[in-house]
Amino acid sequence: MIVILDFGSQYSELIARRIRETQVYSEVLSYRTSVEQIQRINPKGIILSGGPNSVYDPRAPQCDPQIFHMGIPILGVCYGMQLMVQQLGGNVEKAERGEYGKAALFIDDPTDLFTNVDNGNTMWMSHADSCLALPEGFEILAHTNNTRCAAIANHERKLYGVQFHPEVVHSIGGIALIRNFVYHICDAEPTWTTEAFVEESIREIRAKVGDQRVLLALSGGVDSSTLAFLLHKAIGDQLTCMFIDQGFMRKGEPESLIEMFEGQFHIHVKYIEARDRFIKAIEGVTDPEVKRKRIGHEFIRVFEEESKRLGPFDYLAQGTLYPDVIESADTNMDPKTGERVAVKIKSHHNVGGLPKDLQFKLIEPLRKLFKDEVRKLGRSIGLPEEIVQRHPFPGPGLAIRILGEVTADKLNILRDADFVVRDEIRQRGIYHDFWQAFAVLLPIRSVGVMGDQRTYAHPVVLRFITSEDGMTADWSRVSYDLLEAISNRIVNEVKGVNRVVYDITSKPPGTIEWE
Ligand code: XMP
């Protein structure tokens, strides 16, 4: 394992992902992690991340300086390099000129860290400070026109530093550098594979659960589907999969989910038909927040009733992923038992938590994985691409894509319009060009003409966006040809719609969903 000590960089997670891409397991830990803790983990190498501070600021985060004397190879990145230099007796000061963005890197020592990295490659820089004097035993490995110490090393002690960010895609050869560090300097073995993960998880799940019972709420997404498969493989019928059909899913989705689990994987799913309850719960509601809250509360109510009816259960399985773990740190820990407790259902994280008297113990077998690793795992166990690469779909489903009051008729209209969108982009093989591509139904009506008939019906908005993570997004510049095909089909095939418009708002200032 390679440990990343995080000093507050926005790239710490990305470093962990890059290392895992070399098939070596990697975890992000706080910069406060003690030498004793690190000794217990016994990593093959340590990476000190970047961070927003200046090392000479008295409040700047510092790691235990003993870390440099453990005999474990260390690579400092940006702030991490400056900290290493300062803590070992060198000097870091504000640079005459900061360096932001791309810079050509000239290699002075093409051995270990820079094997297979070309001289003059572009690397991504983002620093206001520079190392002016190196600690004893260090030498310069590379420079840029602006920065004398762009990469440094103390070969004997296996301490390395780079001023640039090898983990970002703009750094050409950055991945080769990371591989050099991981394989040649740390001597780590490429053992972090999907097969190894499945084997280890199954062992762990069995040891933890014993002969107790586990409940899993299936949503149809890749996380809960992968989780169901893993748990079923480990504990068979001790697992109960529950699927609550709120009536807000897309055309054919509940049916194909059940068919896939029962038919293909032979995993029984308790199907809870709750469509009427949900639509009643939001009858007459037009305010988006009230709508979300009512759906959330109804979900909890149904979940509570059904888990009592089908239970008792000892564990609740959650599809918590590694980024959630990093972000929530240990705030959800039960101080008495040290177990993580269920304070929220992930797919409905924004609509409230489970009631206090319904506290299960948690089992979270995916908590070590990044989203792309879950996809890889899902694929390896035979989940269809349709689920593995599915666009994100919000917990409250189509209900928040029908503006204003949700009725059964409107749900049918939107389901049909949404089907046309998905069908067209699938047929053209461009489904994966988008982060999300969907239709929104507006509560207003406008005048149109079909044949000789005047129509007075609803408009549908097409929302096609690209994004890296859903936090920011841009509207997609799709072809007129595609827009025309979708518009024609929707107006002709979907009763109740006579106009189609295209949303050209990015996020911010818009959000991706309309409610
Ligand atoms: P917004 O609309 O906030 O959406 O720009 C950002 C991303 O989050 C998804 N989304 C949700 N996901 N439960 C979810 O699991 C929800 O209630 C929810 N609301 C929005 C949205 O589809 C987009 O990908």
Side-chain angles (χ1 to χ4, degrees):
M1 161 168 12
I2 304 284
V3 159
I4 295 151
L5 294 186
D6 179 23
F7 293 90
S9 166
Q10 53 178 328
Y11 296 128
S12 299
E13 238 184 82
L14 188 59
I15 302 176
R17 279 171 53 190
R18 291 284 179 257
I19 292 173
R20 290 186 190 192
E21 280 164 20
T22 71
Q23 300 193 324
V24 172
Y25 183 62
S26 164
E27 270 190 18
V28 180
L29 300 179
S30 159
Y31 70 88
R32 292 197 188 93
T33 309
S34 67
V35 167
E36 292 71 36
Q37 276 169 298
I38 294 176
Q39 259 157 355
R40 265 199 302 278
I41 298 169
N42 194 20
K44 285 284 196 178
I46 299 173
I47 292 187
L48 309 178
S49 84
N53 300 73
S54 285
V55 289
Y56 46 78
D57 180 338
R59 283 160 307 174
Q62 311 258 335
C63 57
D64 185 335
Q66 284 310 313
I67 283 172
F68 299 111
H69 302 284
M70 294 173 79
I72 299 174
I74 297 182
L75 172 65
V77 174
C78 198
Y79 178 88
M81 158 169 153
Q82 295 165 2
L83 188 69
M84 173 159 44
V85 166
Q86 203 212 28
Q87 290 196 337
L88 293 176
N91 182 27
V92 178
E93 285 181 24
K94 190 166 175 51
E96 259 176 45
R97 267 191 299 160
E99 208 174 15
Y100 300 94
K102 294 172 182 176
L105 185 81
F106 302 106
I107 299 169
D108 304 302
D109 176 355
T111 58
D112 54 8
L113 199 59
F114 286 100
T115 310
N116 295 325
V117 180
D118 290 338
N119 195 28
N121 269 352
T122 296
M123 293 290 173
W124 187 260
M125 290 283 195
S126 180
H127 66 113
D129 296 336
S130 267
C131 301
L132 296 188
L134 294 183
E136 217 182 289
F138 276 79
E139 58 188 89
I140 294 174
L141 300 185
H143 66 277
T144 69
N145 286 335
N146 218 356
T147 303
R148 198 170 60 91
C149 304
I152 57 168
N154 180 328
H155 290 287
E156 204 186 303
R157 293 172 62 187
K158 295 198 173 185
L159 302 178
Y160 295 81
V162 290
Q163 186 55 72
F164 52 89
H165 287 272
E167 67 277 15
V168 305
V169 285
H170 317 284
S171 288
I172 315 295
I175 303 302
L177 185 148
I178 289 173
R179 293 174 79 88
N180 291 335
F181 178 70
V182 168
Y183 290 147
H184 305 313
I185 297 169
C186 300
D187 213 12
E189 301 275 339
T191 51
W192 177 247
T193 60
T194 306
E195 299 71 36
F197 175 82
V198 171
E199 235 173 72
E200 193 190 314
S201 301
I202 288 177
R203 235 193 341 263
E204 280 175 9
I205 294 166
R206 284 185 183 148
K208 184 166 183 173
V209 172
D211 57 3
Q212 297 183 304
R213 294 185 68 198
V214 180
L215 174 64
L216 166 72
L218 260 187
S219 75
V222 62
D223 302 347
S224 67
S225 301
T226 306
L227 192 56
F229 184 88
L230 246 192
L231 282 162
H232 189 261
K233 216 170 158 135
I235 55 169
D237 291 342
Q238 283 164 257
L239 170 73
T240 299
C241 290
M242 177 161 89
F243 172 68
I244 299 175
D245 187 358
Q246 306 164 313
F248 304 143
M249 288 188 85
R250 288 166 291 197
K251 196 171 191 161
E253 251 178 355
E255 296 81 0
S256 61
L257 185 76
I258 305 285
E259 156 55 28
M260 182 187 79
F261 271 90
E262 307 232 315
Q264 210 173 316
F265 294 150
H266 309 292
I267 299 176
H268 180 58
V269 178
K270 302 273 185 201
Y271 173 78
I272 314 294
E273 207 280 275
R275 296 180 183 196
D276 289 346
R277 285 185 65 159
F278 277 90
I279 208 155
K280 270 214 184 72
I282 54 170
E283 203 170 281
V285 174
T286 53
D287 181 273
E289 278 313 298
V290 177
K291 201 191 274 182
R292 277 174 175 274
K293 284 209 179 87
R294 294 254 185 110
I295 295 171
H297 287 148
E298 195 58 30
F299 186 88
I300 288 162
R301 224 168 287 147
V302 176
F303 182 84
E304 197 172 11
E305 281 171 29
E306 294 298 329
S307 59
K308 276 193 187 130
R309 188 173 67 85
L310 300 168
F313 297 100
D314 306 284
Y315 282 97
L316 176 67
Q318 283 207 150
T320 313
L321 302 191
Y322 191 52
D324 307 322
V325 177
I326 303 180
E327 275 153 33
S328 67
D330 287 332
T331 48
N332 297 345
M333 193 88 82
D334 180 331
K336 281 191 216 120
T337 63
E339 292 266 356
R340 272 165 60 83
V341 292
V343 288
K344 61 189 178 189
I345 291 181
K346 184 158 174 291
S347 59
H348 292 257
H349 52 83
N350 44 1
V351 285
L354 286 175
K356 287 261 181 305
D357 60 348
L358 201 82
Q359 286 210 345
F360 300 93
K361 288 182 281 181
L362 273 195
I363 183 154
E364 302 172 299
L366 307 181
R367 69 196 303 274
K368 281 183 172 175
L369 302 185
F370 286 110
K371 188 82 183 183
D372 47 342
E373 291 175 319
V374 177
R375 291 209 173 97
K376 212 164 132 196
L377 172 61
R379 204 172 271 129
S380 82
I381 59 184
L383 282 184
E385 276 308 296
E386 211 175 295
I387 290 190
V388 172
Q389 289 286 7
R390 199 178 78 144
H391 289 165
F393 188 62
L398 298 181
I400 57 161
R401 292 180 180 168
I402 293 172
L403 270 62
E405 186 182 6
V406 177
T407 63
D409 282 348
K410 285 185 180 166
L411 275 167
N412 285 334
I413 294 175
L414 184 58
R415 230 178 247 124
D416 288 344
D418 175 82
F419 176 78
V420 171
V421 172
R422 286 189 298 142
D423 192 41
E424 280 296 323
I425 59 174
R426 280 238 161 81
Q427 276 187 33
R428 287 161 197 251
I430 54 173
Y431 181 86
H432 302 304
D433 291 359
F434 310 104
W435 171 265
Q436 275 167 294
F438 57 89
V440 173
L441 184 66
L442 299 187
I444 51 164
R445 288 191 287 172
S446 76
V447 174
V449 57
M450 278 182 103
D452 289 333
Q453 295 286 323
R454 175 186 183 273
T455 58
Y456 190 50
H458 295 289
V460 151
V461 179
L462 302 181
R463 183 79 167 133
F464 287 25
I465 56 130
T466 51
S467 174
E468 286 290 318
D469 52 13
M471 304 298 284
T472 60
D474 198 7
W475 59 279
S476 302
R477 274 60 169 175
V478 292
S479 71
Y480 285 163
D481 177 51
L482 173 68
L483 291 174
E484 183 182 35
I486 292 176
S487 168
N488 267 338
R489 274 190 64 186
I490 289 181
V491 173
N492 279 291
E493 292 175 24
V494 183
K495 243 180 114 207
V497 177
N498 66 350
R499 197 177 286 271
V500 176
V501 301
Y502 192 61
D503 183 351
I504 53 166
T505 321
S506 58
K507 172 185 178 176
T511 48
I512 295 173
E513 304 290 345
W514 272 49
E515 281 195 339

